[in-house]
Amino acid sequence: MIDFYKGEHYSAMEGKHMAQIIAHGPIVFQVARVLRDKQILKVVEDARGGGIALQDICEKVGLSEYAVRVLLEAALGMHLVKYTDDEKFALTKTGYFILHDPLTNVNMNFVQDICYKAMYHLQEAVETGKPAGLPELGNWSTVYEGLSQLTPQQQKSWFEYDHFFSDIAFPPVLKHIYKPENHIKKLLEIGGNTGKWALASTRFDEAVKITIVDLPGQAAMAKKNIDELGLTDRVDFYPANVLDESVVFPQGYDAVWMSQFLDCFSEDEIVSIMKRCGAALNADGSIYILEAFWDNQRFETSAFCIQQLSIYFTAIANGNSQMYDSRVFKKCVEKAGFEIVEQIDGIGLSHTLLKCKKKN
């Protein structure tokens, strides 16, 4: 993937056109979202290849001719719709993906409900190293402190985004983590979120017991889910702020699990967390890390999505973390006193699994 970014693979005219798309980015996004949410694209799709006239669209969606016209004329330039020979509107491939692609819709909802207003403060964030856009969501030092306090719509978009990737990655990873030769009976999960990994683990392995370390708000959300399923005897909770370096993790575990978690922290914070994870492990224990590294992606689209997600961390989440280049991340692992003994790429849509052990 790194080689893809060496040199340029497009003409000057194509470069200028892309520059105009970027310059109009906020407008382009909102046009596409409104066309989707007001069912305009769906009405155009239902007309099939023959297309549909402007007046007929207006009648079906309940908007004025002016409103539908300005949106669809913008959509022509965005290649969401096209003209038929008799200048009716028909859906394009890009319009189809806006309507139906799960990845696109998860991304759009996350950007709209979590990122859009906050991104106005990006310049301040990069100048100060603080999440300057976070006050658009709430008065917290990091977004994680406020997840349980977001509006229902914001929570829905945030967790659907987070779970979209883990839900695809978890099934193949479970088989690898809980192989008999790994001897994992007690697992410490750092950053349990809503308890999805713990639930999946207890279903997969009837013997494993898990302790979740997370902020009090998140721990309470996960505990509610665990209690409702009658798994209280197999999943414990250790509410704590892992950014507090005085916090000592509970000890005596065969493995530590962190999924889509360490990207939430700066390099120095990653080192601190991993050192404390090391103290929680038994002598031959391992740390398992599931992350999406942009430089490990097979397709440019995957790399692009991950690279843009980094800006959410900069402007909103905490101001100092990102979706890492694997080479930067591995330096943190080494600095924490660990070595990577196994690496599996291509898990789910975009993930890499790292198995780390303490250096001798």
Side-chain angles (χ1 to χ4, degrees):
M1 177 54 68
I2 296 296
D3 288 341
F4 187 86
Y5 297 108
K6 295 178 180 177
E8 294 182 312
H9 308 277
Y10 46 85
S11 69
M13 187 61 72
E14 289 169 333
K16 184 171 183 177
H17 185 76
M18 177 58 69
Q20 304 319 305
I21 293 174
I22 293 169
H24 292 85
I27 300 171
V28 168
F29 176 86
Q30 291 297 349
V31 168
R33 184 189 65 80
V34 173
L35 284 166
R36 181 196 68 172
D37 292 353
K38 298 304 292 184
Q39 299 296 306
I40 296 172
L41 289 182
K42 181 66 170 63
V43 167
V44 173
E45 180 186 46
D46 289 345
R48 306 295 181 181
I52 182 171
L54 177 64
Q55 293 80 4
D56 293 331
I57 299 172
C58 298
E59 291 177 6
K60 291 179 179 293
V61 301
L63 291 174
S64 70
E65 183 173 320
Y66 164 78
V68 177
R69 185 176 67 243
V70 294
L71 289 169
L72 284 176
E73 286 176 355
L76 285 168
M78 295 157 56
H79 298 290
L80 297 182
V81 297
K82 61 185 178 182
Y83 272 148
T84 62
D85 289 341
D86 53 355
E87 295 194 1
K88 293 180 179 180
F89 291 97
L91 199 70
T92 64
K93 295 182 180 69
T94 303
Y96 176 88
F97 285 119
I98 292 291
L99 273 178
H100 298 295
D101 178 48
L103 175 62
T104 301
N105 279 281
V106 162
N107 283 338
M108 286 189 75
N109 294 339
F110 180 75
V111 169
Q112 170 67 10
D113 295 326
I114 302 298
C115 301
Y116 199 86
K117 291 181 180 179
M119 283 301 156
Y120 183 82
H121 307 279
L122 176 60
Q123 181 171 325
E124 181 184 349
V126 297
E127 289 171 348
T128 63
K130 304 293 183 182
L134 182 55
E136 295 285 356
L137 298 177
N139 187 27
W140 314 294
S141 58
T142 71
V143 74
Y144 311 106
E145 297 170 24
L147 288 180
S148 61
Q149 302 171 53
L150 295 174
T151 68
Q153 181 60 43
Q154 289 169 334
Q155 284 191 1
K156 182 176 184 293
S157 293
W158 196 96
F159 284 112
E160 283 183 353
Y161 184 93
D162 185 69
H163 293 162
F164 181 80
F165 301 96
S166 62
D167 286 355
I168 297 172
F170 278 1
V173 171
L174 285 165
K175 298 175 184 177
H176 187 81
I177 299 294
Y178 294 112
K179 290 188 296 188
E181 56 265 34
N182 288 336
H183 306 292
I184 299 176
K185 298 304 175 187
K186 287 186 65 180
L187 182 137
L188 184 66
E189 181 180 9
I190 312 295
N193 214 331
T194 58
K196 279 216 163 190
W197 173 259
L199 291 171
S201 294
T202 52
R203 290 172 181 147
F204 186 85
D205 188 324
E206 295 181 354
V208 68
K209 291 191 175 183
I210 296 173
T211 299
I212 293 176
V213 178
D214 213 331
L215 290 164
Q218 275 86 285
M221 292 171 68
K223 188 174 188 306
K224 181 177 182 293
N225 294 333
I226 297 296
D227 290 348
E228 288 175 352
L229 292 172
L231 295 169
T232 308
D233 60 329
R234 297 185 58 194
V235 183
D236 295 322
F237 296 88
Y238 191 86
N241 181 0
V242 299
L243 280 177
D244 183 349
E245 293 194 354
S246 68
V247 170
V248 178
F249 300 152
Q251 299 180 358
Y253 291 87
D254 303 312
V256 172
W257 167 256
M258 290 181 281
S259 170
Q260 301 176 175
F261 180 73
L262 290 177
D263 52 53
C264 302
F265 302 96
S266 70
E267 293 163 63
D268 289 341
E269 290 165 347
I270 291 172
V271 172
S272 170
I273 292 167
M274 288 196 67
K275 284 181 176 178
R276 284 177 281 152
C277 288
L281 288 171
N282 293 328
D284 193 40
S286 301
I287 295 179
Y288 293 90
I289 300 168
L290 188 67
E291 284 289 349
F293 302 112
W294 67 260
D295 62 310
N296 279 2
Q297 303 308 305
R298 181 180 176 189
F299 299 107
E300 183 189 5
T301 300
S302 296
F304 176 83
C305 292
I306 294 169
Q307 290 160 342
Q308 307 318 303
L309 176 58
S310 283
I311 306 303
Y312 150 78
F313 290 104
T314 303
I316 303 167
N318 52 35
N320 60 8
S321 71
Q322 68 171 111
M323 302 301 292
Y324 283 95
D325 179 324
S326 65
R327 296 166 298 181
V328 174
F329 190 89
K330 288 175 181 179
K331 289 179 181 177
C332 297
V333 173
E334 183 177 353
K335 190 174 180 180
F338 287 85
E339 60 181 344
I340 297 169
V341 297
E342 187 174 10
Q343 174 174 333
I344 303 175
D345 297 320
I347 296 173
L349 283 179
S350 55
H351 282 75
T352 292
L353 179 66
L354 301 178
K355 180 178 181 180
C356 307
K357 284 190 173 291
K358 294 179 185 176
K359 293 179 183 176
N360 295 324

